[in-house]
Amino acid sequence: MLKIELLESFIAVAESGNLSKAADKICRTQSTLSLQVKKLEESVGQSLLIRDNKGVTLTESGETLLSYAYKMIQLNSQALDELKECHNREVIRLGVPTDFIKCYLNSCLLEFIREFTCIELVIDTDVSGNLYKRLHQGEFDVIVATHWQLPVNGELLFTRRFKWVAAAGGNAHLRKTIPMGLYPENCPIRAQVFANHRLSMRPINVLLSTPSPQALCMAVENDLVVAPVAEFRINEKMQVLDPLEHGLPPLPVFNESLYLNPDTQTDATKQLIDLIKTNVEHKGYQLDKPILNMVKAS
């Protein structure tokens, strides 16, 4: 095994070309330095220096070892620096709605990971109802969650509008019993669908329950279900349904908000929160802008 101390001495001798000058450079006696070079030669089983009246020069093996010695010293220094910086590594536990994780990753979370290399960001996704519950159980430091009411103990980020959609030119929305795709239990969007459903409206048959907005959209596009979809996800393969005309429950405006665990806040969590808020402000709530050219059902 090559010891860092021996390599440092070897580099000093190679750069100085003289044992006496090298000894002064690293604050060792010449005899100690000579002994260290000898130990290094014994370790590699090769002669590393050629000594003469003018000083020392490197053998071919010495030249080879010198290039590795520089790299090993550099890696050793980098490892020590990183360990010193990260010996008290902080962990931030963030909860984000499953259907919006990609938006947050693209807008700010990847930026935070890139910038704060000594902080472990643990991201978990779930429906908002579960995120609330888990925050109060101490599982998170920060969550972003959706609710139809204004936040009481949180901070509003932006509003999210959902529309009832069906396949463009499809007939799923014309059936007597509406085939429906919804987010899972404890999702506030699903909760409002059933809370606002009345006996005078057409009956509902839930065919798909998923946290994935991509799965909901694909089921809609393939004329399998009718579903509440965020405005910005609506595309030309879908048609927007008027709730009154088609006997569907009205959908309120939903609020995307930040909620904190007051017992676990640090400077790092505050920086993460500020970054999320800054990115939302910078984007001007464009996450909720509808895609144009969508069809309106007649």
Side-chain angles (χ1 to χ4, degrees):
M1 183 174 65
L2 300 178
K3 295 182 178 180
I4 295 298
E5 182 182 6
L6 300 183
L7 292 175
E8 289 176 335
S9 297
F10 174 64
I11 290 173
V13 173
E15 291 179 343
S16 300
N18 182 285
L19 284 172
S20 178
K21 291 180 180 179
D24 291 339
K25 182 177 180 180
I26 61 176
C27 300
R28 289 182 175 85
T29 64
Q30 187 171 335
S31 59
T32 299
L33 189 58
S34 296
L35 183 59
Q36 287 181 324
V37 172
K38 184 179 179 180
K39 287 182 178 178
L40 189 58
E41 288 178 324
E42 291 174 352
S43 295
V44 299
Q46 299 284 339
S47 177
L48 302 173
L49 300 177
I50 300 173
R51 298 167 177 83
D52 57 30
N53 293 333
K54 296 181 181 180
V56 296
T57 55
L58 298 179
T59 64
E60 185 176 345
S61 296
E63 293 285 358
T64 300
L65 179 61
L66 182 62
S67 64
Y68 282 105
Y70 281 125
K71 295 175 184 177
M72 292 172 72
I73 294 297
Q74 182 181 23
L75 285 172
N76 180 71
S77 178
Q78 289 176 350
L80 290 174
D81 288 343
E82 187 167 342
L83 287 170
K84 287 177 183 177
E85 291 175 0
C86 300
H87 68 285
N88 290 323
R89 191 176 185 88
E90 183 174 348
V91 176
I92 298 178
R93 303 161 301 165
L94 172 68
V96 181
T98 305
D99 60 332
F100 256 44
I101 181 59
K102 184 177 180 180
C103 295
Y104 284 108
L105 280 171
N106 289 339
S107 64
C108 57
L109 297 185
L110 292 181
E111 182 181 342
F112 183 87
I113 296 168
R114 187 180 297 111
E115 183 70 22
F116 299 93
T117 55
C118 284
I119 295 175
E120 181 181 353
L121 182 61
V122 178
I123 303 174
D124 197 356
T125 61
D126 208 334
V127 294
S128 291
N130 291 341
L131 291 176
Y132 290 124
K133 181 179 179 181
R134 294 171 63 187
L135 176 70
H136 293 136
Q137 291 173 342
E139 293 185 37
F140 292 114
D141 303 304
V142 183
I143 66 167
V144 178
T146 305
H147 204 274
W148 62 90
Q149 297 175 336
L150 288 172
V152 177
N153 299 314
E155 183 173 356
L156 178 66
L157 290 174
F158 58 90
T159 57
R160 299 174 59 180
R161 291 176 175 82
F162 284 74
K163 299 288 186 180
W164 285 108
V165 293
N171 58 22
H173 65 291
L174 302 176
R175 297 173 192 168
K176 185 175 181 181
T177 297
I178 303 173
M180 191 167 288
L182 293 173
Y183 290 107
E185 297 290 341
N186 288 333
C187 172
I189 301 162
R190 181 187 182 114
Q192 282 298 287
V193 168
F194 287 106
N196 295 329
H197 188 262
R198 301 290 179 262
L199 291 176
S200 58
M201 299 175 182
R202 284 189 292 167
I204 292 172
N205 179 21
V206 179
L207 295 184
L208 174 65
S209 180
T210 175
S212 168
Q214 290 80 12
L216 278 181
C217 289
M218 287 182 66
V220 169
E221 291 167 4
N222 284 275
D223 200 26
L224 300 175
V225 299
V226 170
V229 172
E231 283 186 333
F232 78 98
R233 297 188 191 278
I234 300 174
N235 59 46
E236 68 280 356
K237 296 180 180 179
M238 303 174 184
Q239 57 180 322
V240 176
L241 305 177
D242 180 86
L244 289 176
E245 182 180 349
H246 293 274
L248 292 164
L251 299 172
V253 173
F254 294 92
N255 302 299
E256 192 86 354
S257 305
L258 273 169
Y259 298 87
L260 315 178
N261 182 338
D263 298 327
T264 63
Q265 295 309 295
T266 65
D267 289 339
T269 58
K270 292 174 183 176
Q271 287 179 298
L272 174 61
I273 292 164
D274 288 342
L275 184 61
I276 293 173
K277 290 161 60 177
T278 299
N279 274 271
V280 168
E281 292 170 2
H282 176 70
K283 288 181 174 292
Y285 305 99
Q286 68 180 15
L287 294 177
D288 217 28
K289 289 182 180 178
I291 295 176
L292 301 178
N293 301 321
M294 54 191 175
V295 179
K296 184 174 178 64
S298 57

